Amino acid sequence: MSGTRSPSADGLAPRTFQGRLTLAFVAVVTVTLGLVGLLVVNRLGAYFDQQQSDDLMARASGVAQYVIQRAENTSTVRAGRPVVSIDGIVDPAVVTELSKETEQRIIADRLGQADVRFRFGLVTSQGFRPAANGTFEASERSTPQPGQELERMTSTPVVIPWTSAAIPYGVEVTLLNPYTYRAAAISNVTGLLAITGLIALAVAVVVAAMLTRRITTPLRRLTEASHDLAEGDFARRVPSDAIEDGPMELSDLGLQFNAMAERLQESVEIIRRDRDRSREFLADVSHELRTPIAALRTFNELLTEGADDDPTARAEFLETSRAQIERLDWLAQNLLELSKLDSGLVLLDLRREDLRSSVEQAVDQASATARRRGVELTMDRPDEAIQLRHDPVRIGQVVTNLVGNGIKFTPRDGSVRVQVRREPDGGASITVADTGIGIDPAELPRIFDRFFRGSRASEARGSGSGLGLSIVRSIVEMHGGTVAVESRVGAGTTFRVTLPAQPGATPPADPRRVAETSSSPAPNLNPEPAP
Ligand code: ADP
């Protein structure tokens, strides 16, 4: 569970997806920048070294040429004396000239930009041979130019020969501790790299945060929705904006979650409705049972208290008790039948038989009651047989209930017409139309509910229990058929049962309930006893 997560093994690693992704981004950027930085600094170092060495050589050559030029311009040399004699001695006038402070400044501060050591020497076939008195040192006095720094190093000596002289000589120049641009350039580049790195890191953090936000926001919404669902809020869904904004995988997950929640809600509602109906059903059953039991108890008490002395009263009590017991028995049978139908325990005994005879038998059974009540009961049937797969006993039960209601709710001298006919689609229909009291439009949608009795039911000659039409609908639906009703108050009611050619053609509410077997015992439901 989310609340009892164990701390991570490494302790420091962030637990959240956002934290981890940000850390990963930062790590990748840091490593990349580190490697790039190393490479750049390394390459730049080599490049600047080369640049500097070229620069120092150029400066040294400049110094050498300047020195040679100064030596050649000395009056004694111009008069014909060699700068360096054949024994390796530098002309003293040259020495004096080059030792001057002004010359030293030019050589060290302007040309060499370093402490400069230069010496004259003879250029022979063996190479450069330094003169005995020709070594000069000029110290740098000026301040470095902007961007320059003093570098503690000694440059490679540069020798510039002057072979056009009578005695060929040369000058060897070495620069010590020069002012260079290298360190500053490198530190500039390193600083720039560091700044770039910091900016890249900041960008990485921002991008990681934005990316993870896009992922974690829908994830969080999903988590909240599942939490609420787990708490029992079955109407909870993941908001559509969270589904649309997230990555495709998460959008799919959100859609699936919502579909699952939808189905869950439907199932829960069905279970709740069933539970409520069962409660109502139980309450109705106990109420229905209580009335005849109370009546029986009263008769019993009256008889015990001596009413049996009066033979007329005794006979009346016994007769009424018998009627109540019949009613109890009828109620029990109906309840049993209905619960079997509902639970799917009843299997239809489907046979290909003439539907006309199934209907006719039920109508015949009801004719005595109709006659007794002064209601005309007629049956209209085609001449040719209607061969149809159906359960004859249960379809007979349907007709018995509908015709029974018709007779019950039709006043004397009215009529009940039963019609059975083949339908164009190969199925058949049974219509029971009466000229009775009719049903209130407001009550029409409820008449198939268990224990529902219309407000006009008590006006009619039967009290009923409100189970007859429930049984009708269950049996018809098991056949894959439908039952419809039309009614006008004061004019009459017409019930129309439609049965398909094949009972399985239209799937019934519960497919288990249709089977071709004769194992189910035929229900023995008598018409409702007279009140
Ligand atoms: P009951 O045992 O009360 O007849 P039903 O389930 O058969 O139970 O019928 C439920 C209610 O539907 C009745 O109480 C009555 O109000 C109404 N009803 C059924 N059939 C008819 C009919 N043919 N004419 C008028 N009302 C009817």
Side-chain angles (χ1 to χ4, degrees):
M1 290 178 86
S2 60
T4 56
R5 279 183 191 171
S6 60
S8 67
D10 41 4
L12 289 173
R15 298 285 312 166
T16 61
F17 181 62
Q18 182 157 11
R20 287 185 177 186
L21 195 71
T22 310
L23 195 74
F25 257 79
V26 169
V28 168
V29 170
T30 312
V31 169
T32 313
L33 281 176
L35 287 176
V36 169
L38 266 178
L39 205 78
V40 167
V41 169
N42 204 333
R43 279 307 193 85
L44 273 181
Y47 172 76
F48 284 136
D49 282 353
Q50 185 58 46
Q51 285 272 318
Q52 176 167 296
S53 136
D54 291 352
D55 179 41
L56 290 181
M57 258 171 92
R59 285 195 223 169
S61 302
V63 169
Q65 275 159 10
Y66 179 78
V67 168
I68 289 171
Q69 189 211 334
R70 293 309 298 156
E72 289 293 321
N73 273 341
T74 319
S75 53
T76 49
V77 174
R78 266 203 265 145
R81 289 198 44 187
V83 174
V84 182
S85 70
I86 197 79
D87 348 310
I89 303 294
V90 180
D91 180 6
V94 171
V95 174
T96 314
E97 178 65 20
L98 291 175
S99 302
K100 285 182 185 161
E101 181 59 18
T102 48
E103 294 302 333
Q104 295 258 316
R105 288 306 100 234
I106 291 172
I107 291 168
D109 296 351
R110 278 179 50 199
L111 299 174
Q113 294 169 35
D115 296 335
V116 180
R117 185 169 65 211
F118 63 97
R119 42 189 190 168
F120 284 84
L122 285 171
V123 175
T124 65
S125 53
Q126 282 94 44
F128 179 76
R129 188 147 55 81
N133 62 337
T135 299
F136 301 84
E137 285 201 356
S139 305
E140 166 80 40
R141 298 266 168 78
S142 68
T143 48
Q145 287 174 15
Q148 279 190 330
E149 272 178 34
L150 188 137
E151 197 159 344
R152 301 253 163 243
M153 63 167 293
T154 304
S155 76
T156 319
V158 171
V159 177
I160 297 288
W162 190 251
T163 43
S164 56
I167 300 167
Y169 67 94
V171 178
E172 182 205 70
V173 180
T174 309
L175 303 181
L176 300 111
N177 307 325
Y179 288 145
T180 67
Y181 290 99
R182 195 180 71 127
I186 286 183
S187 83
N188 270 353
V189 170
T190 320
L192 219 73
L193 267 177
I195 289 170
T196 318
L198 281 177
I199 292 173
L201 272 183
V203 170
V205 170
V206 171
V207 169
M210 274 162 52
L211 263 180
T212 47
R213 242 180 96 80
R214 261 177 69 78
I215 298 172
T216 51
T217 305
L219 267 181
R220 202 173 306 124
R221 297 278 179 84
L222 256 168
T223 313
E224 284 163 7
S226 4
H227 180 263
D228 290 353
L229 202 72
E231 296 279 303
D233 180 3
F234 296 107
R236 184 72 153 86
R237 302 285 177 275
V238 184
S240 55
D241 60 329
I243 291 178
E244 284 152 17
D245 291 352
M248 214 171 72
E249 292 86 344
L250 287 177
S251 302
D252 284 350
L253 187 62
L255 286 174
Q256 289 305 324
F257 178 89
N258 282 354
M260 181 201 74
E262 190 75 42
R263 277 199 292 275
L264 190 65
Q265 189 182 18
E266 280 168 13
S267 308
V268 169
E269 263 159 28
I270 290 172
I271 292 168
R272 272 193 193 141
R273 239 180 286 135
D274 273 3
R275 187 197 56 193
D276 293 348
R277 239 188 279 144
S278 303
R279 278 191 193 146
E280 279 169 29
F281 183 63
L282 262 178
D284 288 340
V285 168
S286 39
H287 179 76
E288 286 299 321
L289 293 176
R290 207 175 295 143
T291 316
I293 288 172
L296 283 174
R297 184 184 294 135
T298 312
F299 297 144
N300 189 283
E301 281 168 8
L302 287 172
L303 287 174
T304 317
E305 284 165 12
D308 56 343
D309 297 345
D310 177 355
T312 330
R314 186 167 177 271
E316 194 187 323
F317 288 162
L318 285 177
E319 175 54 26
T320 322
S321 300
R322 192 188 55 77
Q324 292 297 347
I325 289 169
E326 262 178 31
R327 182 165 168 71
L328 268 179
D329 183 43
W330 178 85
L331 200 66
Q333 283 190 50
N334 272 282
L335 280 173
L336 189 65
E337 173 72 355
L338 197 61
S339 75
K340 278 201 284 184
L341 288 171
D342 275 4
S343 64
L345 290 174
V346 169
L347 299 173
L348 289 183
D349 180 14
L350 293 175
R351 297 154 195 256
R352 190 172 172 74
E353 279 184 17
D354 189 356
L355 182 68
R356 294 177 313 165
S357 30
S358 310
V359 176
E360 204 162 25
Q361 270 181 28
V363 173
D364 285 349
Q365 273 177 20
S367 58
T369 317
R371 229 174 296 121
R372 205 170 58 239
R373 295 194 165 179
V375 174
E376 185 196 8
L377 175 61
T378 56
M379 177 168 169
D380 178 7
R381 40 166 259 179
D383 292 335
E384 63 279 7
I386 303 176
Q387 293 295 339
L388 192 83
R389 291 173 71 77
H390 68 285
D391 182 331
V393 176
R394 293 199 189 277
I395 290 298
Q397 177 65 42
V398 166
V399 177
T400 302
N401 287 8
L402 293 179
V403 171
N405 277 350
I407 297 169
K408 196 164 66 176
F409 294 111
T410 301
R412 189 164 281 279
D413 297 332
S415 68
V416 175
R417 248 170 77 88
V418 181
Q419 196 179 49
V420 55
R421 60 159 58 153
R422 170 71 78 182
E423 290 296 319
D425 64 357
S429 66
I430 305 164
T431 313
V432 179
D434 64 53
T435 58
I437 58 170
I439 305 169
D440 253 321
E443 292 179 351
L444 262 186
R446 300 187 53 206
I447 56 169
F448 291 98
D449 291 354
R450 289 170 189 162
F451 291 110
F452 176 78
R453 271 170 296 181
S455 50
R456 292 161 181 277
S458 51
E459 286 173 29
R461 293 164 295 175
S463 56
S465 65
L467 292 177
L469 289 181
S470 292
I471 293 175
V472 166
R473 189 174 58 176
S474 290
I475 294 175
V476 173
E477 284 181 352
M478 281 172 74
H479 279 80
T482 55
V483 52
V485 59
E486 268 176 37
S487 185
R488 269 180 48 216
V489 174
T493 307
T494 303
F495 283 93
R496 186 178 150 86
V497 171
T498 315
L499 297 173
Q502 284 296 329
T506 319
D510 182 351
R512 287 173 305 157
R513 291 160 64 177
V514 178
E516 299 205 28
T517 167
S518 57
S519 63
S520 129
N524 183 21
L525 297 186
N526 302 317
E528 185 185 346

